[in-house]
Amino acid sequence: MKLIIGNKAYSSWSLRGWLACKQSGLPFEEVVVPLYDAEWDRRREGAEFAPSSGKVPILWDGEAVVWDSLAIVDYLADKVGRERFWPADEAARAMARSMAAEMHSSFTALRRKHAMNIRQVFPAKRPDDDVLADLARIMELWAQARARWGGDGDFLFGQFGAADIMFAPVVTRILTYQLPVARFALGYMDAVIQHPWMQDWIAGAQEEDWVIQQYEQPSA
Ligand SMILES: N[C@@H](CCC(=O)N[C@@H](CS)C(=O)NCC(=O)O)C(=O)O
């Protein structure tokens, strides 16, 4: 398999696709392309980018191509077995799938106003009300998942899985912008950041030379 991703410093959807590949346990080649560099328009017109119309992540698996992070999770879960990604319990799985889908389709204020920048910690300031509303909903979801299904594990449904993959870039945004969160969330966020795959990704981001100025401001 070959996964094409954007800058590890900034590309939140790429992080999800990459974590999904790691979670699959399958070997994959990783190709990182610098978002919005001088070659971007030319590169995104290439055949490898055509299926997603230029967006990353894109997963190629022989003749099969999957773009969009949640589709990558589902494709890989079909390939290696659902239990690697989703909880076994039906009620837990229903919640995990709903949370992943809600993450995928919602929280636009948080995503728009606090772009991912994994290399930075910006001074704390009061977030806009729409961002606070997104954070309140995220806290509600995390609290319910942890209380009902966290068990002895550190993650939303105990073991690291698809729901954690989808929320991982939210964790990094909260830390980057020092956004206010409920106390219980600190332990969960720490578990996500300390996960070896996240540590690998963060190290990769630190090694990148590319800088996108727009994302180097506290309010992108
Ligand atoms: N819904 C897509 C979003 C993909 C996406 O928007 N990726 C961004 C990078 S984080 C991108 O490729 N932007 C480049 C562009 O839109 O030209 C997913 O889940 O993968």
Side-chain angles (χ1 to χ4, degrees):
M1 299 196 301
K2 173 156 122 180
L3 181 73
I4 308 174
I5 54 177
N7 312 40
K8 292 190 174 179
Y10 308 120
S11 185
S12 58
W13 297 112
S14 295
L15 170 57
R16 295 178 174 101
W18 185 86
L19 287 173
C21 286
K22 289 286 196 185
Q23 185 75 14
S24 76
L26 298 171
F28 67 100
E29 178 197 351
E30 161 192 321
V31 178
V32 187
V33 295
L35 288 170
Y36 315 126
D37 70 347
E39 295 295 299
W40 178 251
D41 287 337
R42 186 197 54 74
R43 198 184 303 112
R44 67 183 298 178
E45 280 166 14
E48 281 195 315
F49 286 82
S52 72
S53 122
K55 288 190 194 302
V56 286
I58 310 167
L59 178 67
W60 285 91
D61 182 16
E63 289 297 299
V65 56
V66 203
W67 63 97
D68 196 288
S69 47
L70 196 50
I72 292 173
V73 167
D74 283 338
Y75 176 81
L76 292 172
D78 284 350
K79 199 172 165 86
V80 299
R82 188 174 71 186
E83 60 289 348
R84 265 190 111 98
F85 285 85
W86 301 104
D89 182 279
E90 196 164 73
R93 193 168 61 253
M95 184 172 182
R97 282 194 179 277
S98 302
M99 284 176 65
E102 185 167 344
M103 178 65 247
H104 198 246
S105 62
S106 312
F107 311 121
T108 47
L110 174 66
R111 281 157 47 187
R112 197 177 65 252
K113 295 181 177 176
H114 299 281
M116 188 170 101
N117 184 338
I118 228 161
R119 295 190 295 227
Q120 288 279 7
V121 178
F122 295 123
K125 66 171 199 179
R126 190 186 187 280
D128 291 347
D129 287 345
D130 50 2
V131 173
L132 287 172
D134 282 352
L135 286 169
R137 173 65 179 158
I138 290 166
M139 290 305 109
E140 189 179 310
L141 293 172
W142 287 2
Q144 281 178 28
R146 292 277 310 138
R148 286 186 69 193
W149 309 108
D152 293 336
D154 292 331
F155 297 99
L156 291 172
F157 293 85
Q159 301 307 306
F160 190 80
D164 306 294
I165 288 171
M166 292 305 290
F167 280 97
V170 167
V171 170
T172 78
R173 284 170 155 105
I174 288 170
L175 296 172
T176 293
Y177 295 89
Q178 302 195 59
L179 299 172
V181 290
R183 183 178 282 269
F184 85 87
L186 298 176
Y188 169 62
M189 291 182 3
D190 192 51
V192 170
I193 289 294
Q194 295 309 326
H195 192 290
W197 299 335
M198 285 298 287
Q199 289 292 307
D200 270 11
W201 179 275
I202 292 166
Q206 297 293 0
E207 282 165 18
E208 288 174 352
D209 295 330
W210 307 307
V211 174
I212 301 181
Q213 215 49 55
Q214 174 195 352
Y215 300 140
E216 297 295 331
Q217 319 300 324
S219 274

